[in-house]
Amino acid sequence: MLNDVQEVLFSEEKLASIVKEMGKKISEDYRDKNLLLVSVLKGSVVFMADLMRAIEIPCRVDFMSVSSYGAGVKTSGIVKIVKDLDIPLEGFDVLVVEDILDSGMTLSYILELLRSRNPRSIRLCTLLDKPERRTANVTADYVGAAVPDEFIIGYGLDYDEKYRNLPFVGVLKPEVYGG
Ligand code: IMP
Ligand code: MG
């Protein structure tokens, strides 16, 4: 598995400090709110697990799973809900937790759907951001770090469902995906 990594971008220690800072900021901003963390499976599961423990105020968590319609490597923006949330959103200050914001097409759909359920507020928190790739009008309220336009793996992020268990964030060697 390690042989497929071109470069480590963020070590385990660096990720821990990034996530700790994000948790602190969120704890300050949501002190008098009714925080509900919504994780979009599966990529954000490692980040979510660490972020929720870096948050020092009461909060709830819920999970949803979506799949993009359309074949190929490009996100179509048409999204199917595979697993919906369990909690109705009314009265909650929702913070959507994502692994990486790429084109933003998926997130744009999810945010619109969740907004229609009348949460008290809704914001977006992403560990990684690839700003050069954005086509949809989505900006994150909390960003851990920007990454270059390369294929990123580890700490939850996969290529073909592999590499999610790497403890660091790195760049996948292009020869692995025929790039
Ligand atoms: P978007 O709709 O193009 O923003 O796609 C976002 C989703 O694509 C993310 O939640 C990831 O699951 C996946 N994704 C985008 N870029 C990468 C990457 O570099 N590595 C792994 N997954 C990625
Ligand atoms: Mg994802």
Side-chain angles (χ1 to χ4, degrees):
M1 189 163 60
L2 289 173
N3 286 335
D4 297 341
V5 178
Q6 177 167 285
E7 183 194 348
V8 174
L9 293 178
F10 304 105
S11 68
E12 213 173 334
E13 294 72 27
K14 181 67 187 166
L15 288 168
S17 92
I18 290 172
V19 174
K20 190 104 195 134
E21 273 310 301
M22 293 179 93
K24 208 182 260 179
K25 182 79 171 58
I26 291 165
S27 304
E28 284 161 16
D29 294 353
Y30 284 84
R31 200 156 294 280
D32 301 310
K33 304 255 164 69
N34 194 14
L35 178 58
L36 170 63
L37 300 174
V38 168
S39 154
V40 184
L41 297 171
K42 307 172 201 170
S44 68
V45 71
V46 180
F47 176 42
M48 177 74 156
D50 285 342
L51 181 69
M52 64 194 271
R53 285 176 292 176
I55 290 175
E56 298 155 352
I57 57 167
C59 71
R60 297 188 199 201
V61 299
D62 204 354
F63 298 85
M64 68 187 295
S65 178
V66 302
S67 75
S68 277
Y69 276 121
V73 287
K74 259 182 74 193
T75 322
S76 63
I78 306 166
V79 170
K80 182 177 151 217
I81 306 292
V82 177
K83 185 227 170 284
D84 206 338
L85 299 173
D86 299 326
I87 306 176
L89 299 185
E90 269 171 45
F92 283 106
D93 295 292
V94 173
L95 186 60
V96 176
V97 176
E98 254 288 29
D99 50 354
I100 186 164
L101 189 51
D102 189 40
S103 74
M105 300 279 275
T106 313
L107 252 296
S108 145
Y109 180 90
I110 291 172
L111 288 171
E112 196 175 315
L113 174 77
L114 299 185
R115 255 186 218 112
S116 75
R117 297 179 182 178
N118 298 315
R120 192 152 76 182
S121 68
I122 183 161
R123 299 176 87 189
L124 174 62
C125 171
T126 187
L127 177 67
L128 304 173
D129 188 10
K130 269 188 197 169
E132 299 160 57
R133 297 257 307 165
R134 197 83 78 260
T135 55
N137 184 22
V138 178
T139 44
D141 302 282
Y142 302 92
V143 177
V147 288
D149 185 9
E150 291 179 278
F151 206 92
I152 310 297
I153 50 166
Y155 199 71
L157 288 123
D158 74 304
Y159 170 68
D160 200 17
E161 294 296 328
K162 287 176 295 209
Y163 312 106
R164 293 193 196 277
N165 55 323
L166 289 172
F168 55 82
V169 164
V171 176
L172 183 64
K173 283 183 183 164
E175 57 258 41
V176 176
Y177 57 92

